[in-house]
């Protein structure tokens, strides 16, 4: 009787593979929380808007400028750190970001005024600029190429889960007579400190990272990838790509399409994190808790749609669909729907506006799909630099949005009432009129950007062109 016995080496491979996957999913969970903290730090400004504007005597344009200031250094730091990631392990970059985010929350807790708020938002923007690209680069180092879409989308969904979970907590803190809006910043600082300690205890580079030099040994169980010129999808061969001139990627139709769509997505993000709570308050007489809950609806939809799109992309790639179809087309359709919803908001009123802004802003949060798609056009060593450049340049939309909307509100005749004085019906109407003008402009823009994205966000075509 013939019996086949597996060798100890095969058993060792299996054991090590299981260990790697356990660590991979632990890292994924921590990075989801990392992104949750990231976007809770952004969203807090919108939640404290009413209190800060009244207490510090700020106009809409002035407060909008502080909202925009977050993105002043966002792009520059994102690009610089993206290129640094070619030489410095991403685990250390993430540790440094987490620690700096926490520290930057405390000046407002300790009594900082308008200038302190401005300075800390600028520096915080610089510290958070590389977060998306670096966290996606790190998590992709833990999974083989065709399986990266789902964990990457889960990490990206942390950007939408952060405000969802934080908004009710922060609203309670802001409304509490013994705490107030300053403790909203303090709470986020404490959360950041705890996360940083946890990350320092478990962080490690993944087996698919370009820093891992032992890609064929038993310890990592990672196989060498060979480029297949006959494959329609670049997904199975992306780790076989070699470094190319970065300018060829940045000047491509693929990158331009992702950039144009990203401008619109960041415009929406800038609005959500600065003006959404005030806009919702103007639509009806809601308590702070209800405003915080309603403000979280776009983030909830963003989390669900991003995770769902990532899961769909994983299924499509497993069935040999191209990255263009799996990520590019899916993202382009979401941008197109977002644009249509934005454009329709000024034509309607009441709860229908809340439904439409939930759809418009929620689908706009799927920009990480574009970042993931672009990452498939380049080798692992250059991936962080390319993705960081995309996020950084697209963030210009977030810089424009808060000031633009604040200016449109002022132009429409809105004046912030003094502390303790409720907003009049006329002022509410003026606020809504100004914001709706912004929705008309961004709606038309995103409709066009969505169509361009569907046609040209094609990393398969670009990668094959560059490898020749």
């Amino acid at each position: 009787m013939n019996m086949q016995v597996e060798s100890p080496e095969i058993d060792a491979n299996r054991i090590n593979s299981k260990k790697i996957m356990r660590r991979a999913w632990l890292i994924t969970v921590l990075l989801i929380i990392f992104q949750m903290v990231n976007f809770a730090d952004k969203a807090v400004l919108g939640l404290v808007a009413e209190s800060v504007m009244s207490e510090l005597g700020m106009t809409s344009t002035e407060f909008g400028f502080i909202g925009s200031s977050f993105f002043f250094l966002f792009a520059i730091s994102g690009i610089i750190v993206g290129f640094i990631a070619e030489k410095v392990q991403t685990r250390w970059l993430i540790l440094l970001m987490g620690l700096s985010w926490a520290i930057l929350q405390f000046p407002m807790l300790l009594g900082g005024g308008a200038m302190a708020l401005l300075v800390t938002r600028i520096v915080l923007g610089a510290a958070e600029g590389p977060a998306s690209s670096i966290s996606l680069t790190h998590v992709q180092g833990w999974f083989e190429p065709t399986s990266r879409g789902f964990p990457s989308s889960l990490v990206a969904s942390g950007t939408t889960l952060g405000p969802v979970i934080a908004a009710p907590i922060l609203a309670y803190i802001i409304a509490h007579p013994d705490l107030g809006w300053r403790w909203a910043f303090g709470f986020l600082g404490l959360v950041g400190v705890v996360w940083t300690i946890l990350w320092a205890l478990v962080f490690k580079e993944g087996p698919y990272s370009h820093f891992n030099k032992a890609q064929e040994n038993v310890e990592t169980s990672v196989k060498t990838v060979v480029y297949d010129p006959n494959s329609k999808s670049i997904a199975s061969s992306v780790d076989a790509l070699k470094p190319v001139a970065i300018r060829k990627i940045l000047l491509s139709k693929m990158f331009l399409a992702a950039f144009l769509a990203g401008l619109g997505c960041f415009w929406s993000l800038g609005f959500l994190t600065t003006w959404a709570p005030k806009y919702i308050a103007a639509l009806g007489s809601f308590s702070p808790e209800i405003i915080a809950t309603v403000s979280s609806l776009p983030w909830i939809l963003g989390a669900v749609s991003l995770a769902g799109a990532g899961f769909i992309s994983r299924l499509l790639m497993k069935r040999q669909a191209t990255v263009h179809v799996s990520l590019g087309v899916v993202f382009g359709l979401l941008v197109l729907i977002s644009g249509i919803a934005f454009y329709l908001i000024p034509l309607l009123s009441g709860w229908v506006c809340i439904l439409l802004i939930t759809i418009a802003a929620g689908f706009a949060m799927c920009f990480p799909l574009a970042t993931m798609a672009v990452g498939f056009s380049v080798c692992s060593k250059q991936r962080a630099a390319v993705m960081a450049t995309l996020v950084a340049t697209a963030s210009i939309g977030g810089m424009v949005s808060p000031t633009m909307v604040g200016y449109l509100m002022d132009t429409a005749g809105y004046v912030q009432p003094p502390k303790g004085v409720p907003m009049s019906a006329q002022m509410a109407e003026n606020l809504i009129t100004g914001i709706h003008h912004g929705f008309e402009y961004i709606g038309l823009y995103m409709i066009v950007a969505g169509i361009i994205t569907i046609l040209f966000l094609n990393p398969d075509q670009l990668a094959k062109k560059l490898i020749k």
Side-chain angles (χ1 to χ4, degrees):
M1 181 173 62
N2 293 327
M3 296 183 62
Q4 293 182 340
V5 179
E6 293 186 345
S7 68
E9 289 78 7
I10 295 177
D11 287 337
N13 283 341
R14 287 183 176 178
I15 291 172
N16 286 320
S17 179
K18 289 180 180 179
K19 287 182 178 178
I20 290 171
M21 291 312 299
R22 281 198 297 268
R23 177 62 69 92
W25 285 109
L26 175 60
I27 292 293
T28 301
V29 170
L30 283 175
L31 288 177
I32 291 172
I33 299 173
F34 176 73
Q35 291 288 49
M36 289 171 62
V37 174
N38 177 5
F39 271 69
D41 289 347
K42 291 184 178 72
V44 68
L45 188 66
L47 293 172
V48 302
E50 192 70 26
S51 301
V52 170
M53 290 178 69
S54 297
E55 184 171 322
L56 302 182
M58 303 174 70
T59 66
S60 299
T61 302
E62 289 169 344
F63 187 77
F65 180 79
I66 288 180
S68 295
S69 70
F70 179 88
F71 294 98
F72 287 175
L73 298 178
F74 189 95
I76 296 172
S77 68
I79 294 173
I80 292 174
V81 176
F83 281 91
I84 289 175
E86 293 185 18
K87 305 294 184 181
V88 179
Q89 293 183 357
T90 51
R91 58 175 178 155
W92 292 107
L93 297 175
I94 292 170
L95 179 69
L96 181 60
M97 281 188 281
L99 181 60
S100 60
W101 300 353
I103 293 172
L104 288 166
Q105 303 303 323
F106 294 118
M108 296 313 299
L109 172 65
L110 301 176
M115 183 56 67
L117 182 59
L118 175 64
V119 172
T120 54
R121 296 308 287 185
I122 293 174
V123 180
L124 183 64
E128 293 192 358
S132 178
S133 57
I134 297 301
S135 59
L136 287 176
T137 299
H138 188 83
V139 78
Q140 288 176 6
W142 284 94
F143 296 88
E144 58 94 13
T146 58
S147 298
R148 287 173 186 164
F150 186 50
S152 296
S153 67
L154 289 179
V155 170
S157 69
T159 62
T160 58
L161 291 173
V164 171
I165 296 174
I169 300 173
L170 295 176
Y172 172 79
I173 293 173
I174 293 166
H176 197 286
D178 296 328
L179 297 174
W181 64 270
R182 292 188 183 277
W183 262 106
F185 291 96
F187 171 77
L188 292 175
L190 293 174
V191 170
V193 170
V194 172
W195 182 90
T196 303
I197 294 172
L198 292 175
W199 179 257
L201 293 174
V202 302
F203 70 161
K204 187 178 180 181
E205 289 294 307
Y208 293 91
S209 168
H210 67 275
F211 289 103
N212 192 311
K213 301 301 183 181
Q215 291 192 327
E216 295 179 282
N217 61 19
V218 174
E219 180 183 356
T220 62
S221 301
V222 177
K223 298 179 181 179
T224 301
V225 179
V226 180
Y227 174 67
D228 180 7
N230 298 317
S231 175
K232 293 182 179 180
S233 174
I234 196 62
S236 60
S237 304
V238 65
D239 281 353
L241 297 177
K242 302 298 182 184
V244 298
I246 290 288
R247 60 180 175 78
K248 293 183 178 180
I249 299 172
L250 303 185
L251 297 176
S252 67
K253 292 184 292 185
M254 177 211 69
F255 191 89
L256 179 61
F259 163 70
L260 292 175
L263 287 176
C265 293
F266 268 94
W267 190 100
S268 175
L269 176 62
F271 169 79
L272 277 181
T273 56
T274 308
W275 294 118
K278 282 187 70 67
Y279 173 69
I280 292 168
L283 292 175
S285 300
F286 305 121
S287 67
E289 291 79 10
I290 294 296
I291 292 172
T293 300
V294 174
S295 298
S296 69
L297 293 178
W299 303 95
I300 294 173
L301 179 61
V304 172
S305 58
L306 188 54
F311 182 72
I312 291 171
S313 74
R314 181 175 182 271
L315 292 179
L316 290 173
M317 287 188 190
K318 289 293 185 181
R319 296 178 182 178
Q320 307 304 313
T322 62
V323 180
H324 175 216
V325 172
S326 304
L327 289 171
V329 173
V330 171
F331 171 64
L333 288 172
L334 292 172
V335 172
L336 179 60
I337 296 171
S338 174
I340 294 171
F342 267 127
Y343 188 76
L344 291 176
I345 292 174
L347 305 178
L348 300 164
S349 61
W351 280 97
V352 180
C353 289
I354 293 178
L355 174 62
L356 286 175
I357 197 171
T358 298
I359 295 172
F363 283 178
M365 290 182 199
C366 290
F367 175 66
L369 295 174
T371 310
M372 286 183 252
V374 168
F376 275 95
S377 67
V378 66
C379 69
S380 62
K381 185 176 181 180
Q382 296 178 301
R383 193 169 295 141
V386 172
M387 292 196 298
T389 302
L390 173 61
V391 174
T393 53
S395 71
I396 295 171
M399 185 189 305
V400 170
S401 172
T403 303
M404 171 185 169
V405 173
Y407 173 77
L408 291 173
M409 288 163 57
D410 286 342
T411 302
Y414 175 75
V415 178
Q416 174 67 24
K419 184 177 181 180
V421 178
M423 185 188 305
S424 67
Q426 183 60 55
M427 285 299 104
E429 183 179 344
N430 293 346
L431 183 151
I432 292 171
T433 298
I435 290 178
H436 279 183
H437 285 319
F439 289 163
E440 290 172 354
Y441 303 145
I442 196 61
L444 288 173
Y445 177 86
M446 292 190 74
I447 289 171
V448 175
I451 295 172
I452 293 174
T453 301
I454 291 171
L455 295 175
F456 298 113
L457 186 51
N458 190 341
D460 309 277
Q461 185 182 69
L462 178 63
K464 292 179 181 179
K465 178 181 177 182
L466 294 177
I467 206 170
K468 292 180 180 178

